[in-house]
Amino acid sequence: MAIEKKRPRGLKGSASSNKQRKVESQSGKEVDAATLPENAQTVVINKEVDEGDEVGEVTALYEEAVEKQDKQQQSEAVTILRGVIHESDRILRNWDDAAPLPLGFYRTYALALHDLGQLSDDDDIAAFVDEALARIVDGMDHHKSVEGEEMHKAKLVWGKIVLAKESLKADEELNEVSEDASSALTAIQAASNSDAAPKRLLLDVARVVQQHAELYRDLASRERFASWAEDTLARIQDEQAIKTSALHELGLGQLAWGNFWLDRLDDDADNEDYETKAQKAFQQAKKYLTQAKDASQEVTPQLLCDLAEAGLNEANFAEDEQQAKYGQVVALIEQAVSLGGDDCVLPEGLAIFIEEQRAQAGS
């Protein structure tokens, strides 16, 4: 028995765990890095670091944490990030040289704080973001005369963290771009024009810019951020080391646009232009996410769930072979559950869909 065709409904980002969690307010609580436990397990650093180069070791440790995040090994990443923060705090407290610590040290410290805030169970993400911002500003203040690649990278990190802070302050959809958010985007745009800007850093910044774009109901404001993120991701997607992640983010961006136009369709149900734009966005999201899946050496449940969401929304628009398209979505969800095991918790929208499909198959 075929499923009755209903007006397409988006899952409202239910499958995207990459999005920043919000807090109701910024409590003013500070993160005391000295109280964070040291890394309790041995981590093999797969980078060459000069003996006695503590700053180099911290940087290499952070890179290991990033690799763990890429593989969705979040608990391992959290452990390493705590170690990075603990060691960075120790280095900073004990530094007695007349010359300041390298700007790259402050950049790594700030990024580790930001990342830990996103991954930890601590609900006060704002405290981590505030501390991250304080570290990168401190570093830039110590190196005001520095120009070129190092300052470009610092400004990219500064802009990323400012936008993360602005996103946390939003408790509803936005219509206007704040002065701080505008300044952050301007700095990011200028710094990203450098050919020396690391593509991995650009990927991370584009992810945050894209997430910030999704907060805007005003189309022009949303496009201002989303267009930079999309252009940047498209520019770096051929870099083999980040290809899967860049394609994944491009897919998530289109998924967000599809849901944006579905929301507009809720307000104006007969607007064929909104329906067409939503349909095209979901088709493009499916294309990017399929490419990400094909390029991945180790497909994650999250990627499969995002692809399932795109496929489900596309199928809701289908005039022909709708049931076959639903079957493809079911297969993706089952693969995600199989890969994730007991740790795999399906987004609500996909969980409801799969239960409906099973009930229909049993009837």
Side-chain angles (χ1 to χ4, degrees), residues 357-363:
Q357 287 290 297
R358 287 169 178 165
Q360 176 125 358
S363 63

Side-chain angles (χ1 to χ4, degrees), residues 22 166-175 214-217:
K22 295 182 182 177
E166 288 298 295
S167 296
L168 287 171
K169 288 161 59 176
D171 56 5
E172 59 185 16
E173 288 184 312
L174 304 174
N175 285 314
E214 294 170 23
L215 296 174
Y216 294 95
R217 181 166 179 79

Side-chain angles (χ1 to χ4, degrees), residues 116-127:
L116 184 59
Q118 302 302 311
L119 294 176
S120 71
D121 293 330
D122 191 327
D123 289 334
D124 199 357
I125 306 171

Side-chain angles (χ1 to χ4, degrees), residues 139-362:
M140 292 168 70
D141 285 345
H142 277 100
H143 293 272
K144 290 180 179 179
S145 61
V146 172
E147 296 180 359
E149 180 182 350
E150 284 303 305
M151 185 54 73
H152 287 316
K153 288 189 285 189
K155 288 181 177 179
L156 284 171
V157 172
W158 176 82
K160 167 185 172 176
I161 296 172
V162 169
L163 286 184
K165 184 180 176 72
E166 288 298 295
S167 296
L168 287 171
K169 288 161 59 176
D171 56 5
E172 59 185 16
E173 288 184 312
L174 304 174
N175 285 314
E176 296 182 355
V177 179
S178 70
E179 183 176 343
D180 284 346
S182 180
S183 296
L185 181 61
T186 298
I188 287 170
Q189 289 171 324
S192 64
N193 287 331
S194 168
D195 292 335
K199 290 183 172 59
R200 171 71 217 202
L201 179 56
L202 288 175
L203 168 67
D204 293 338
V205 175
R207 179 182 290 123
V208 171
V209 173
Q210 182 164 271
Q211 290 168 354
H212 185 77
E214 294 170 23
L215 296 174
Y216 294 95
R217 181 166 179 79
D218 175 68
L219 179 59
S221 298
R222 187 186 185 99
E223 285 182 328
R224 181 179 172 188
F225 291 88
S227 61
W228 179 86
E230 184 176 356
D231 290 346
T232 299
L233 290 166
R235 174 160 60 95
I236 65 176
Q237 66 172 307
D238 290 332
E239 183 76 12
Q240 198 59 40
I242 59 171
K243 185 178 184 68
T244 297
S245 296
L247 288 167
H248 193 167
E249 290 302 322
L250 282 165
L252 289 175
Q254 290 301 310
L255 202 53
W257 273 118
N259 284 322
F260 174 83
W261 293 114
L262 282 186
D263 284 341
R264 290 291 182 95
L265 205 54
D266 282 344
D267 299 332
D268 187 358
D270 296 323
N271 192 312
E272 294 183 0
D273 184 48
Y274 292 165
E275 186 167 335
T276 298
K277 288 179 176 178
Q279 185 175 9
K280 287 182 177 178
F282 289 130
Q283 289 172 343
Q284 191 64 30
K286 182 179 177 182
K287 174 184 173 183
Y288 281 132
L289 293 168
T290 299
Q291 290 175 344
K293 178 175 176 288
D294 292 342
S296 177
Q297 295 181 347
E298 188 175 346
V299 178
T300 64
Q302 183 63 56
L303 176 54
L304 293 170
C305 283
D306 292 336
L307 180 53
E309 181 179 343
L312 177 54
N313 278 289
E314 182 197 42
N316 284 337
F317 281 101
E319 299 292 342
D320 301 315
E321 299 183 349
Q322 187 181 51
Q323 193 58 49
K325 292 179 182 292
Y326 284 144
Q328 294 171 3
V329 175
V330 169
L332 287 168
I333 295 173
E334 290 177 343
Q335 187 181 356
V337 172
S338 176
L339 280 176
D342 294 337
D343 293 332
C344 183
V345 179
L346 289 176
E348 183 180 4
L350 294 183
I352 292 172
F353 168 75
I354 198 72
E355 287 302 318
E356 289 176 347
Q357 287 290 297
R358 287 169 178 165
Q360 176 125 358

